[in-house]
Amino acid sequence: MAFLEIKGLVKRFGKLEVLKGIDLDLERGGFLVLVGPSGCGKSTLLSAIAGLDTISGGEILIDGEVVNDLRPSKRDIAMVFQSYALYPNMTVAQNIAFGMEMRGVPKPERDVAVERVAATLQMSHLLSRRPSQLSGGQRQRVAMGRALVRDPRVFLFDEPLSNLDAKLRVDMRTEIKKLHQSTGKTIVYVTHDQIEAMTLATKIAVLKDGALQQVGTPAEVYNRPANLFVADFMGSPSMNLLTAKAVSRNGVAGLELPRAHDAAIFLRLPPNIRAGAVQDGAELIVGIRPEAITDPDGADRNSPLVEIVEALVDVVEPAGSDTYVVTEASGKEVIARMRSDADVRPGQRIPFAFDLNKAVLFDPRTTQRIG
Amino acid sequence: MSGRVEGSMAGGGSAVSRVVIYGLLLVFAAIFLTPLFVMLITSLKSLDEIRDGNMLSLPQSPTIAPWLSAWGTACIGLTCNGIKGYFGNSIMMVVPAVAISTILGSLNGFVLTKFRFPGHKLIFALMLFACFIPFQAVLIPVARVLGMVGLGNSIGGLILVHVVYGLGFTTLFFRNYYEAFPTELIRAAMIDGAGFFQIFRRILLPASGPIIIVTVIFQFTNIWNDFLFGSSFASGDGVPMTVALNNLVNTSTGVKEYNVDMAAAMIAALPTLLVYVVAGRYFVRGLMAGAVKG
Ligand SMILES: Nc1ncnc2c1ncn2[C@@H]1O[C@H](COP(=O)(O)OP(=O)(O)O)[C@@H](O)[C@H]1O
Ligand SMILES: [Mg+2]
């Protein structure tokens, strides 16, 4: 049985339905990342789990126990807030100890626990400072310390890294991941940053407008997105989503992508699509990630189906470790990821290798994945 | 405040406009300060000197006798014990009334911003409405109510009236201040297991310094200076300072002792003056904080 279960959760603010029936579960020790654009209801869902907001319908269970009517303090959870929410009038040590103090833990015990957590997070030297005397990264650490010190059943994180600069964000991300691996705690983590979601999660839930779009492992969500929204949202640069037409050439089922200044591209159907799944003449959207379009040398040798297509290079964007090469199809930019030393210039015609084993098809009407 | 004026004028103003501005400021300062000056020097003169001399001339032989008389021996009505007893009445009225209305106002502000309930907007609108009810309109109903609850003609009754009447203002002040207080802090404390009053005392109050000062000054001056409620709901030895001062000046036994009247008026004004001098800076700062954030 799952450790954290959410069944048919609905949350309304007046007439506005912010969460539209969420079903989710998470095993003990799992790391669930809720990801979605801002305003989609992530914080609301987290507040519902924490008990900070009442819910309009559904059930929340922790370790088999329905907690709907339990106050936040009785749910045995800890939460790290986006703004860190450190008490400004207290020192770091008092901030960390406040929860224990409220629960009546004696002072000597509190002091020992604070010392221990401060050592884990390498901030023993900060204990007597006030939040206003700390840098952003240090405040973040204190907020984590306050959550860690209590050893709760579930940790909730609401965009804990979004106020940090890029470098610190990457460092703290690694640290949170290590922390999860060493403590084995159950974590629900909210972010709008899909890279954070991919790197941290054991399970990702993609949310849009208060409805779940897909729940799965990072690899599932990334490689086999359930619909166009997920395909577009996850990954950076995002997946190429190109309108195509199902056609047969010489008895071979494939996809035709028109081009403005060239003959249409013909690609055979991805191997994971059953032959009967698409009708001849049907409009489709083919999704293919930049890293699945490469120079021929860089293509995956184990892939059962790689198509080589000659195309005109419009733009070249070196990005350090890789070079992004832009061409055109179906009236849109197509981004390919090539090696950084690939000798490519705008205006050249070069061969592009499409790894169709990694391509997915979507129905443009329902926006759902086919097959 | 003068620093502020100077700072904002430094950029564009020429020397001439500077002189005009400072000249005007000095004139107005003189106009406002002259009565105070006259009161002060008159209170330090003997009656003879007042009768002979110029109102604006400094005392020839300064004496504090009028002050001592005003405090301890001047006659008010039929008793001749000075104003000290009434000063005490005012203190006994002001301190609890200010404390209670401030504490209740901050609790109201807390609930109206961080523990919202259905209808909180209506409740707040009604409380705000209380700020605009003129004193005179409620005198008779209040007198009836005070009589019914057995608080007629007592300091306790005055305290109750001032608390109720001040609540609209104190709630408004605190609500606007707490509106800008980060809600995540309250939520963090809830998760930490703090209850309503623990959150209030440990998280919110320590951050309320400026608005507490604003409220205390506002309430203190209003209640200390109140005359209408004092004269309506108290009598005899139980009246507050303001009413006693009026009675002192109007008591007609023999010659009019201007110096004693002035000394008594100075004593009556001292507490509010003191509060402004001590906490006035915070008053402006606190009002600004509320204005900008709220
Ligand atoms: N207290 C509230 N009253 C009314 N609407 C709210 C309230 N809190 C959040 N919302 C609305 O719910 C939606 C989801 O908000 P939120 O959960 O904070 O989004 P996210 O955290 O994903 O950015 C938003 O449209 C927001 O305007
Ligand atoms: Mg949010």
Side-chain angles (χ1 to χ4, degrees), chain A residues 13 16 18 37-44:
Chain A
F13 290 109
L16 179 72
V18 174
S38 125
C40 69
K42 306 180 297 288
S43 298
T44 307

Side-chain angles (χ1 to χ4, degrees), chain B residues 150-161:
Chain B
L151 284 173
N153 256 336
S154 72
I155 298 277
L158 278 178
I159 292 174
L160 179 65
V161 173

